Amino acid sequence: MVARYELIADELRDEILSGAHPVGSQLPSEAELAERHGAARGTVRQAIAVLAAEGLVGSRQGARRIVLGRTRSQSFAELHSFAQWARANGYRFGGQVVAQRRRVSRGGEYTRLGSEEVLEVLRVRTLEGEPVLLERTVYAEWVAAAVERLPAGCESVTEALYESVGLVFAYGEHLIDAVPAGAQDSRLLGVRRGSPLLRQRRTTTTHEGRPVETSDDRYRAGSVAFSIRNSIGANPLVRQAGDLRFRAGEHMFES
Amino acid sequence: MVARYELIADELRDEILSGAHPVGSQLPSEAELAERHGAARGTVRQAIAVLAAEGLVGSRQGARRIVLGRTRSQSFAELHSFAQWARANGYRFGGQVVAQRRRVSRGGEYTRLGSEEVLEVLRVRTLEGEPVLLERTVYAEWVAAAVERLPAGCESVTEALYESVGLVFAYGEHLIDAVPAGAQDSRLLGVRRGSPLLRQRRTTTTHEGRPVETSDDRYRAGSVAFSIRNSIGANPLVRQAGDLRFRAGEHMFES
DNA sequence: TAAAGGAACTTGTACAAACAAGCGAGCACC
DNA sequence: GGTGCTCGCTTGTTTGTACAAGTTCCTTTA
């Protein structure tokens, strides 16, 4: 059963994306939309809230809503899953586990994951045949067994874990910065030592807030960029000073 | 006049941040909160929606809401304004215009800003006395005059433009990646050539969708990181391949 | 003992109504 | 001509009600 406001949101989004409501133009008023769809004003407002969260429309009290753009920002699933993102954009991609071992948690891992024993996995991801991403992931003990059962060349860890144990990654926290490539980075990604890498450190939890994994992902410069669309009122982004949360130079596999 | 749901949201947020509702614990039900605050359930739902957008709480239909975290993601204003972010976090900061000139727009600038003539400004921002950020900003013609009137050492451009011409930066689009420092970058930021910089390219518009500026900001590695919190359903982030929108190597002031 | 069923609770969706607050255009006045 | 004002429109906030859908836990049943 799809909610009514979602249907209305879909229809409005299509109209915007198709150009029926050009960028900069005014959207019909809530009352007009409500009448057209035979719905209450509150329902229409809910539909429009969806589009506003996507950054498609903006509004000010008293004035008609305005179309802001036609490029829709995508879902959290795509942010989290390299495979889903690559597939959605039609890229050839792959992945390979380079190293995998269990060990006791150290540093801030116990605080973040809540388990004494953890599973650490080192994966290289390729895009169009080129290695572009190095993932250093640490899994909490309760998912370790499921991760170990995955094949080394598993394309999408996110999807595989959903299918095998019904695990859904629901919430995430991300820190994005730039770092010079270390010895292992340069070897596995095929770049010079010290060349720039885009680093994304994340901690993911389930719906219930149960920590699943914490990861240090490094992208080759130029291969990918993070894109953010936001507006006043709907904005999950903040700049943070230096390394408040992760210790500088704390590498997971170096030793 | 502050809306009621905002007051309730503030109170709930305080309770979470103060530890009255620890991470992982259940929030009171909507009905309970409604009764406690003497408000309708819909109003309480609005308040909770604010916290959900901030990533503080998560919810599933049928089950009680759960506290996900205690670090609140900040406002868009802070993402946009270096000064506001630095001040809110108690850092000493400064800024200095290095170069400023009018020229005709080139490359994708005309498409993004919609004006033939533009004003380009090169600013260095310091944090705790150290240069950490190099801003290469291009303003649309209609704000150029107001920007030129600002003092060279203006601390907060965002605030100054609001006070002088009532300009409010409302919406933004951001691309974040890593690049090696060029000759000018290394000279002004005091780093070695080729060392990693965190680059944020953005285009900002007003409420009405009118483009104000497009900018290429480069942060010294280790000085700042971007932090993102998100949950399924409320997520403005997407990965993008290479340089789909901005041409690689298109520097504004090199020459 | 384990599975099935159901009842109470909780969140999600939808509708209707009313007032507040801000915007924009047209009008009257100076 | 331009200034200020009013009026209608539009979005923002709040309340109340009703039902749908999912969760949790206890009870019943095989």
Side-chain angles (χ1 to χ4, degrees):
Chain A
M1 188 53 192
V2 181
R4 188 100 109 92
Y5 76 89
E6 287 182 350
L7 296 177
I8 298 176
D10 289 344
E11 194 174 321
L12 266 176
R13 189 186 301 110
D14 285 346
E15 288 177 13
I16 292 173
L17 266 42
S18 74
H21 300 301
V23 174
S25 71
Q26 292 188 334
L27 228 53
S29 75
E30 294 177 1
E32 199 177 325
L33 290 170
E35 197 190 5
R36 184 196 303 175
H37 292 89
R41 196 182 144 217
T43 307
V44 171
R45 277 183 71 82
Q46 238 175 314
I48 295 176
V50 174
L51 303 187
E54 290 171 2
L56 290 179
V57 303
S59 61
R60 287 138 69 210
Q61 183 174 129
R64 281 278 262 271
R65 257 173 265 261
I66 284 181
V67 178
L68 288 175
R70 296 175 59 178
T71 57
R72 182 184 166 206
S73 54
Q74 299 298 325
S75 73
F76 172 68
E78 292 188 9
L79 167 64
H80 185 80
S81 168
F82 180 80
Q84 280 170 38
W85 165 74
R87 190 179 303 136
N89 288 279
Y91 297 114
R92 281 190 306 115
F93 65 97
Q96 190 65 38
V97 171
V98 176
Q100 175 169 317
R101 70 155 192 265
R102 284 187 185 243
R103 59 166 172 77
V104 295
S105 63
R106 58 180 193 234
E109 288 167 1
Y110 182 75
T111 325
R112 293 201 291 279
L113 295 178
S115 59
E116 263 301 334
E117 193 187 347
V118 297
L119 175 67
E120 88 182 323
V121 178
L122 179 62
R123 274 193 209 92
V124 174
R125 302 287 202 139
T126 61
L127 202 60
E128 303 293 336
E130 292 281 310
V132 296
L133 167 59
L134 194 57
E135 284 182 353
R136 294 187 176 94
T137 310
V138 176
Y139 293 93
E141 199 279 330
W142 66 280
V143 284
V147 174
E148 284 172 331
R149 278 197 298 273
L150 300 177
C154 177
E155 278 194 349
S156 173
V157 177
T158 308
E159 289 168 17
L161 285 180
Y162 174 69
E163 281 161 23
S164 63
V165 290
L167 179 61
V168 176
F169 296 86
Y171 303 99
E173 203 172 328
H174 308 256
L175 273 179
I176 296 171
D177 61 359
V179 293
Q184 193 180 36
D185 300 329
S186 66
R187 193 168 58 247
L188 291 170
L189 288 177
V191 297
R192 257 199 305 280
R193 250 183 56 113
S195 71
L197 299 178
L198 184 63
R199 177 170 67 166
Q200 173 195 8
R201 288 169 297 180
R202 65 165 191 268
T203 299
T204 316
T205 73
T206 66
H207 280 295
E208 297 84 20
R210 191 177 188 190
V212 179
E213 50 155 36
T214 177
S215 186
D216 179 305
D217 297 352
R218 299 178 182 204
Y219 294 86
R220 239 171 57 177
S223 63
V224 303
F226 290 98
S227 165
I228 294 157
R229 254 200 112 88
N230 54 5
S231 53
I232 289 184
N235 46 60
L237 209 147
V238 60
R239 215 167 347 203
Q240 286 202 343
D243 282 289
L244 299 178
R245 187 172 316 233
F246 293 79
R247 201 94 53 74
E250 172 189 332
H251 284 203
M252 290 192 241
F253 280 88
E254 308 288 6
S255 66
Chain B
M1 188 51 193
V2 181
R4 188 101 110 92
Y5 74 89
E6 286 183 350
L7 297 177
I8 299 177
D10 289 344
E11 196 174 320
L12 267 177
R13 189 186 301 110
D14 286 345
E15 289 177 12
I16 291 173
L17 266 43
S18 73
H21 299 301
V23 174
S25 71
Q26 293 187 335
L27 227 54
S29 74
E30 293 177 0
E32 199 178 324
L33 289 171
E35 197 191 5
R36 184 195 304 175
H37 291 90
R41 195 183 143 217
T43 308
V44 170
R45 278 183 70 81
Q46 260 186 100
I48 294 176
V50 173
L51 303 188
E54 290 171 0
L56 290 180
V57 303
S59 60
R60 288 139 69 210
Q61 183 174 122
R64 282 278 259 271
R65 257 173 266 261
I66 284 180
V67 178
L68 289 176
R70 295 176 59 177
T71 57
R72 184 186 164 206
S73 54
Q74 298 299 325
S75 74
F76 172 69
E78 293 187 6
L79 167 65
H80 183 81
S81 168
F82 180 79
Q84 280 170 39
W85 164 75
R87 190 179 303 137
N89 288 278
Y91 297 114
R92 281 190 305 115
F93 65 97
Q96 190 65 40
V97 170
V98 176
Q100 175 170 317
R101 70 154 192 265
R102 284 186 187 244
R103 59 167 172 76
V104 296
S105 63
R106 60 179 190 235
E109 288 167 2
Y110 182 76
T111 324
R112 292 201 293 279
L113 294 178
S115 59
E116 263 301 334
E117 193 186 348
V118 296
L119 174 68
E120 92 185 318
V121 178
L122 179 63
R123 274 193 208 92
V124 174
R125 302 286 202 140
T126 61
L127 203 59
E128 303 294 333
E130 293 280 308
V132 296
L133 166 60
L134 194 58
E135 284 181 354
R136 294 188 176 93
T137 310
V138 177
Y139 294 93
E141 200 279 330
W142 66 279
V143 284
V147 174
E148 285 172 329
R149 279 196 299 271
L150 300 178
C154 178
E155 277 194 349
S156 173
V157 177
T158 309
E159 288 168 19
L161 285 179
Y162 174 70
E163 279 161 24
S164 64
V165 290
L167 179 61
V168 176
F169 296 85
Y171 304 98
E173 205 172 327
H174 308 255
L175 274 179
I176 296 170
D177 61 359
V179 293
Q184 193 180 36
D185 299 329
S186 66
R187 192 167 60 247
L188 291 170
L189 289 177
V191 297
R192 256 199 305 280
R193 251 184 55 116
S195 71
L197 298 179
L198 184 64
R199 177 169 66 167
Q200 173 196 9
R201 288 170 296 181
R202 65 166 191 269
T203 300
T204 316
T205 72
T206 65
H207 280 295
E208 296 84 19
R210 192 176 187 191
V212 179
E213 50 155 36
T214 177
S215 187
D216 179 304
D217 297 353
R218 299 179 181 202
Y219 294 85
R220 239 171 58 176
S223 64
V224 303
F226 290 99
S227 165
I228 294 157
R229 256 202 110 87
N230 53 4
S231 52
I232 290 185
N235 45 59
L237 210 147
V238 60
R239 216 167 348 203
Q240 287 203 344
D243 283 287
L244 299 178
R245 188 173 314 234
F246 292 76
R247 201 93 53 75
E250 173 188 329
H251 284 202
M252 292 192 240
F253 281 88
E254 308 289 5
S255 72

